[in-house]
Amino acid sequence: MAGSGGGLLEPDAVLAQLEQRFLKTGHPRDLTVVHALGIGDGKGSGLGRFAHAGMVRRVIGGHWSWAPAMQRMAQDEAFEAYSFPAGVISTLLREIGAGRPGLITHVGLRTFVDPRIDGGKINRRAAEELVELIELEGREYLRYKPFKVDFAIVRGSSADESGNVTLRREPADLDVYAAALAAHNSGGRVIVQVKERAPGGYVPARLVRIPGILVDTLVATPTQVQCVVSDYDASLSGEALSAVGDGFYETPGGIRHIIAARAAKELQAGQSANFGFGIPGGIPAILAKQGRLGSFWGSVEQGIHNGAMLDGPMFGTARNADAILSSVDQFDFYSGGGVDVTFLGMGEMDGTGNINVSKLGATVVGPGGFIDITQGARKIVFCGSFEAKGLQIEQVGASVNIVAPGSVPKLVERVQHISFSGEQARRVGQEVLYVTERAVFRLDATGVRLIEVAQGIDIEREVLARMAFRPLMDEALLSQARAG
C-alpha cells in the first residue's frame, strides 16, 4: 500500500471494502501487508482496516502510529511483525519492480534492522530473515531481500480512458509508482482509487504518474477528498500559489518551543535541511518568526521541498512548495548525503549516543524515514524532552524552571531499540547533537558530552541525578556541578 498520515494518497474506499468483505466472508485472509509510511487517521482507516484476527499473517511496516489497533495486534503476537526504514521499503519496491536482487544499501547498519541485532523483527512470531549483511569491496552493506507482490493498492486524482493516472491534485506523490511497478512486474494486479475519470477523457502526458499499462482496476470514488484538512486546496498540490504569510505558521509553545528554538540555532544559511515529525516539525514556524525562511533549502521525506510546511497530522505537506518529488526519489537524495543538517525526534537516548524512536515500551512505532535520513545526513540534531509523562516546565525570561519532573526517564543506560547508532555515526564522522529543554549534549569519540545547560537549571540535581549514565563534561561545567 502507498499512503501517509493526514489522508495523503490513502486509498481508503478500497481498503474499507476489503475490510467489509473479510468481516462478511472471512476472506481475503492471511495477507502480507507492506507499507512505507503511516497510513490511517488513528481511528480505523488505512492500515487499521486490516486489524482483524486472521486477516493478516505478516506486516512489514515503516511507521505504525496511525493504526493503533495494528500496534496492539503486533504487541499481542497476532501476526508476524517487521519494521524497516520507510525509504528502504519504498526503494525496495522499486528494485522488485526492476527485477533486481533486492535493495543493497548502508541504511540500517548497526540499528535494529541489522541482522546482527534484530533484523527488523519486532515480535516473537517474526522468524524469517528478511535482511542480510553483505560485504562489497571491503565495506559492509545490508541486502533487503525481494519478495513477490500480488497486489498494489494505491490512489490518484483521476484517470483517462487508457487508464493513465495523474496525481495532479494530491499533496504528494509518495511511492505509488514503485508499488504499482512492483506488483505489475511480479505478475500481480494494480488497483487504483481515483476521484473521477478525467474530464474529456484525457490526462496530459506530462501529468501522468502511473501509466495505464500498469493499471488493472480503477475505482472511481466521487467522495474522495484531498486530505483531512481540505477537500481540495491547489496550493497543497502545487498547482497554484496562495497568499501565505509568516502568520500562517502556528508557533509551538511550552517545552516544544524551548527545544525547537534552541535547535533552530544549529541551522546555517544556505544549508540543505530536513525536518522530522514531532518537536522538529515546529522548527519551520520558529524560523518563519525569525524571518529566516528562504535562507535555507528545506525538505521532508514525503518529497516536499520548501514552501509553508504544515505540522501535526498534515506533516509531510506544504502550501506553495517549490517541488514535489516521489518519496522514492527523496529517499535517494537523503541516502546519498543530500542533507547538511536534519532535525529529528528523540524517544530514548543512552550513554553511547544511541537513540530509540521505533519501539517505546511494548508499543511498535516504527522508524518511518528516521533511519534513512540519519544515516545520510552530515549533521544530526535530535530534539526531545529530557523526561516524559508529567514533565511540567515554565520559562521566565531566559531561565527554565522545572515545575514537576517527568516520571519516565528518557536518558537511559541502554535504549530498548536502536533506531540510531552512535557507533555508526562515529565510524562515518557525523556531527550529532542532542537538544532537550534543560541541556544539550554532543556525541564525542569516547562518549556523550554535556556541553550546555539552560539558565536556571541545577546541573547536579536536575540533569546529572536524573540520567542513567554519567556524561563527559568540560571543566567549566564540572566546576558548576561541584558548586551545586
Side-chain angles (χ1 to χ4, degrees):
M1 298 191 299
S4 188
L8 299 188
L9 291 175
E10 183 180 313
D12 194 55
V14 175
L15 303 181
Q17 289 300 310
L18 283 175
E19 179 182 38
Q20 289 304 309
R21 178 179 291 184
F22 175 80
L23 293 175
K24 290 178 181 178
T25 70
H27 295 279
R29 63 184 301 108
D30 295 325
L31 298 169
T32 292
V33 177
V34 181
H35 64 99
L37 297 169
I39 305 175
D41 59 5
K43 302 174 183 178
S45 77
L47 183 63
R49 301 290 187 186
F50 296 87
H52 303 286
M55 192 173 183
V56 170
R57 179 180 67 87
R58 172 183 291 178
V59 176
I60 304 172
H63 192 256
W64 297 62
S65 292
W66 291 106
M70 292 296 276
Q71 290 178 303
R72 290 191 293 271
M73 291 181 72
Q75 179 181 337
D76 295 340
E77 307 285 338
F79 51 76
E80 303 168 19
Y82 293 82
S83 190
F84 288 164
V88 161
I89 294 174
S90 293
T91 50
L92 175 58
L93 291 174
R94 177 189 63 196
E95 299 302 283
I96 291 169
R100 291 190 275 263
L103 176 68
I104 297 172
T105 177
H106 64 91
V107 173
L109 285 170
R110 294 178 179 82
T111 72
F112 77 94
V113 296
D114 191 314
R116 292 170 292 189
I117 302 177
D118 294 321
K121 299 185 284 289
I122 51 175
N123 67 7
R124 290 187 299 274
R125 286 194 58 178
E128 186 178 349
E129 300 296 336
L130 303 184
V131 56
E132 65 177 356
L133 179 71
I134 65 173
E135 185 176 301
L136 295 173
E137 297 182 348
R139 294 184 59 186
E140 292 180 338
Y141 295 92
L142 298 181
R143 183 177 80 95
Y144 296 84
K145 300 176 184 179
F147 48 83
K148 183 177 183 292
V149 180
D150 298 303
F151 290 91
I153 304 175
V154 299
R155 191 180 105 175
S157 300
S158 61
D160 64 18
E161 295 303 315
S162 298
N164 298 307
V165 176
T166 179
L167 276 64
R168 66 184 298 174
R169 295 197 167 187
E170 308 302 318
D173 284 7
L174 304 181
D175 52 357
V176 294
Y177 176 77
L181 181 71
H184 181 272
N185 284 359
S186 291
R189 296 178 62 82
V190 177
I191 301 170
V192 186
Q193 176 185 314
V194 294
K195 185 175 180 66
E196 61 184 0
R197 303 303 289 265
Y202 175 66
V203 171
R206 281 289 187 185
L207 299 180
V208 171
R209 288 294 178 267
I210 309 175
I213 186 64
L214 299 183
V215 178
D216 297 288
T217 302
L218 289 167
V219 181
T221 308
T223 57
Q224 175 176 302
V225 298
Q226 188 183 48
C227 58
V228 296
V229 299
S230 174
D231 286 351
Y232 173 62
D233 181 340
S235 69
L236 282 175
S237 54
E239 298 172 273
L241 298 176
S242 65
V244 176
D246 291 349
F248 166 80
Y249 291 94
E250 184 177 347
T251 305
I255 294 175
R256 194 175 184 220
H257 183 275
I258 294 170
I259 299 170
R262 172 59 187 87
K265 295 179 180 180
E266 299 301 319
L267 178 62
Q268 304 299 316
Q271 288 188 317
S272 167
N274 163 265
F275 302 99
F277 184 70
I279 289 175
I283 294 176
I286 300 288
L287 297 170
K289 189 174 182 179
Q290 295 174 349
R292 297 173 63 189
L293 294 182
S295 67
F296 63 93
W297 191 282
S299 65
V300 292
E301 64 206 59
Q302 285 81 356
I304 311 302
H305 287 242
N306 290 329
M309 293 183 178
L310 277 67
D311 197 4
M314 288 308 299
F315 173 82
T317 64
R319 288 189 170 91
N320 302 349
D322 280 358
I324 299 177
L325 307 182
S326 76
S327 57
V328 179
D329 291 338
Q330 189 64 33
F331 281 120
D332 283 345
F333 176 75
Y334 292 150
S335 177
V339 166
D340 294 310
V341 58
T342 181
F343 301 87
L344 294 168
M346 182 173 72
E348 291 181 320
M349 167 190 172
D350 67 25
T352 64
N354 295 332
I355 292 290
N356 171 27
V357 298
S358 48
K359 192 173 184 181
L360 303 175
T363 302
V364 177
V365 178
F370 180 96
I371 297 175
D372 309 271
I373 296 164
T374 56
Q375 293 201 320
R378 295 174 178 84
K379 180 175 180 177
I380 306 158
V381 181
F382 291 113
C383 307
S385 60
F386 195 88
E387 297 164 328
K389 197 174 183 181
L391 174 63
Q392 296 179 39
I393 62 98
E394 64 177 3
Q395 187 171 20
V396 181
S399 292
V400 175
N401 299 325
I402 308 299
V403 177
S407 60
V408 177
K410 294 177 63 175
L411 277 68
V412 297
E413 184 177 356
R414 182 175 178 81
V415 296
Q416 176 190 3
H417 227 217
I418 302 177
S419 315
F420 169 81
S421 166
E423 178 187 351
Q424 180 67 14
R426 291 187 188 93
R427 284 171 177 259
V428 299
Q430 290 172 300
E431 181 182 356
V432 184
L433 292 181
Y434 310 83
V435 177
T436 75
E437 78 286 349
R438 68 187 76 172
V440 179
F441 302 84
R442 182 181 67 228
L443 183 67
D444 278 4
T446 56
V448 171
R449 182 176 296 276
L450 176 63
I451 62 171
E452 182 180 319
V453 175
Q455 185 175 319
I457 294 295
D458 184 290
I459 296 179
E460 185 61 47
R461 178 168 52 87
E462 295 175 320
V463 178
L464 301 178
R466 303 192 67 82
M467 298 171 57
F469 61 90
R470 190 79 177 182
L472 304 171
M473 285 193 290
D474 294 333
E475 185 58 39
L477 285 178
L478 278 170
S479 299
Q480 188 177 341
R482 294 190 196 104

